[in-house]
Amino acid sequence: VSKQSHDWFAYLKRLKKYMKRNNGSCIVPYTDTSNRDLRKWMDRQRIGYSELQRGVPFSSVRMTKERIKELDKIGFVWNLREETKKKRLEERRQKDEVGDSGPTSEDWSSLFESMKEKGIDPSVAPKPSWVDGVDELSPDDLGDLTDDDIMDLWNDEDDDDDDEW
């Protein structure tokens, strides 16, 4: 067994371990710097596969039918663009099946009712003082708030804008 062949099988073994740790995914994100060499090896396999399919006579990557079979067995993704499209379509399909998890009409009705109780007209545009200097909340910030926290903020007695209503 040549050194090149030995190295190839060592990378295949690493890829299998990576996939086991990542729910079967063989896509290594660019942000994963600890597996940069594995990602580059995978890119070279894709190039070699593409060159073999197109009949390039002197490929920079030694791709064989046996190697293709080995990679196919583990579900190697040969075309990242196509895989990304499939993934997006699947996510969209799942969202359509499950439905949007956003606020319901009942949620909005409850919010408008609370606004009326506080004397806030829901049709009035927000006052600049409500948002000046306020950073937009990220989804991470919202994830830490419970419904009670949000209601506490809503009903805060120290609201300095109440006197304007």
Side-chain angles (χ1 to χ4, degrees):
V1 178
S2 71
K3 179 174 175 10
Q4 185 182 17
S5 184
H6 175 72
D7 289 348
W8 191 91
F9 281 100
Y11 272 108
L12 179 63
K13 187 176 180 179
R14 270 190 63 200
L15 176 57
K16 288 177 181 179
K17 285 182 183 178
Y18 177 87
M19 291 174 69
K20 198 172 201 174
R21 287 191 313 266
N22 291 281
N23 299 321
S25 174
C26 67
I27 298 174
V28 180
Y30 285 96
T31 54
D32 185 352
T33 55
S34 65
N35 285 302
R36 181 178 293 142
D37 61 327
L38 179 62
R39 184 181 64 248
K40 287 181 179 183
W41 176 81
M42 293 166 61
D43 289 342
R44 286 192 306 273
Q45 303 317 299
R46 291 182 182 104
I47 290 167
Y49 177 80
S50 175
E51 289 175 347
L52 186 69
Q53 297 298 310
R54 293 180 313 195
V56 174
F58 299 105
S59 176
S60 60
V61 179
R62 187 171 175 268
M63 181 55 68
T64 64
K65 290 180 181 178
E66 292 76 26
R67 288 180 177 184
I68 292 171
K69 283 181 188 177
E70 287 293 323
L71 291 166
D72 280 343
K73 269 198 283 189
I74 64 169
F76 187 78
V77 174
W78 294 106
N79 187 326
L80 288 176
R81 246 187 227 136
E82 196 61 38
E83 186 65 21
T84 302
K85 279 184 196 175
K86 280 190 220 173
K87 198 172 191 179
R88 284 189 185 137
L89 285 171
E90 178 62 20
E91 287 170 355
R92 198 173 302 141
R93 187 190 63 73
Q94 286 177 352
K95 186 177 179 184
D96 289 346
E97 282 179 7
V98 174
D100 189 7
S101 61
T104 64
S105 58
E106 189 176 304
D107 294 333
W108 287 112
S109 297
S110 176
L111 172 65
F112 289 137
E113 199 57 45
S114 296
M115 290 172 74
K116 287 178 190 172
E117 288 172 12
K118 286 192 77 147
I120 300 172
D121 182 357
S123 64
V124 173
K127 294 185 275 182
S129 64
W130 293 351
V131 292
D132 281 349
V134 176
D135 291 333
E136 193 174 308
L137 289 175
S138 72
D140 292 337
D141 296 329
L142 294 174
D144 294 337
L145 294 175
T146 65
D147 289 344
D148 290 335
D149 293 334
I150 293 170
M151 288 311 295
D152 288 344
L153 288 170
W154 180 261
N155 295 317
D156 188 2
E157 296 294 326
D158 295 332
D159 187 353
D160 61 354
D161 291 327
D162 284 342
D163 57 344
E164 295 179 29
W165 290 98

